[in-house]
Amino acid sequence: MIGVISGDIIKSQTIPKQQYDAMLYQLEQSLRGISKKQTLWNIYRGDAFQLQLNNPEMLFETAILIYLHLKSSGYELRQSMALGQIDNLRSDIKTATGSAFTLSGQGLDKITNQRFVINIAEQHVDESLLLNLAFVDVLLTKVTAKQANALYVYLTSTDNSHAALAKELKTSRENVTKLLNLAHYQLIERFIKHTQFIIKNITKGGE
């Protein structure tokens, strides 16, 4: 079982032509920044992307990090996550097939006002996970660019003490704490760890 994320930038058609290249560059940097050895991704249709995670436990964390990285630059993103199978492993995921890719793509086509949706092949998604995701969706939608940046750095730094983050963000420790609290960083971190536990159990059951 693998994880797949399909996403696109919201209202990209309203972005002025002179800023469009900057948007695409930021999208590429976001994907490249979270890319690991077990990650393949591709940008298509200008403002859309698809990403394959061979370690499905990282599905929610990856989606949240991409969202925060883009939001810190002023862009809103919607993402459809899926857990499923891959029928043919290819270096270019544009030609890959399988339930994970199908569900992820279909979810993006159907997404409405949410920023995150999840589908799992051959089973219903647990209602408690959907409810928690809905709460996280609301919380992240409300964060500002500065709060998103602080939360992104917190989640990706080896030393995420507030003092160390203050140096990296070139601000005061007090301001870092304020930004992180406003971004509900402890709840987001707990949610990420909880999803890793849930996916681990799902993938074990699918073996």
Side-chain angles (χ1 to χ4, degrees), residues 178-196:
K178 179 182 178 182
L179 289 170
L180 289 175
N181 284 334
L182 289 171
H184 304 281
Y185 76 107
Q186 292 175 321
L187 287 174
I188 301 301
E189 189 172 36
R190 284 176 60 190
F191 173 75
I192 289 172
K193 290 179 179 177
H194 181 57
T195 61
Q196 291 171 349

Side-chain angles (χ1 to χ4, degrees), residues 97-154:
T97 58
S99 59
F101 294 94
T102 301
L103 287 172
S104 181
Q106 289 175 344
L108 185 63
D109 290 337
K110 296 176 182 177
I111 200 169
T112 53
N113 297 321
Q114 307 104 304
R115 298 296 183 266
F116 303 92
V117 294
I118 174 70
N119 287 286
I120 304 174
E122 299 179 0
Q123 64 176 279
H124 292 292
V125 183
D126 186 81
E127 181 60 29
S128 63
L129 177 58
L130 291 176
L131 183 59
N132 281 322
L133 180 59
F135 280 127
V136 166
D137 198 309
V138 171
L139 293 179
L140 291 179
T141 302
K142 291 181 178 180
V143 300
T144 65
K146 285 186 177 181
Q147 292 163 12
N149 186 49
L151 182 53
Y152 177 86
V153 174
Y154 172 82

Side-chain angles (χ1 to χ4, degrees), residues 23-36:
M23 178 205 73
L24 292 180
Y25 173 78
Q26 195 59 48
L27 175 58
E28 183 175 336
Q29 290 300 106
S30 297
L31 296 171
R32 201 178 296 280
I34 59 87
S35 184
K36 304 290 189 301

Side-chain angles (χ1 to χ4, degrees), residues 10 62 87 100 106 109 122 168 177 181:
I10 297 172
T62 300
D87 294 338
Q106 289 175 344
D109 290 337
E122 299 179 0
E168 185 168 349
T177 301
N181 284 334

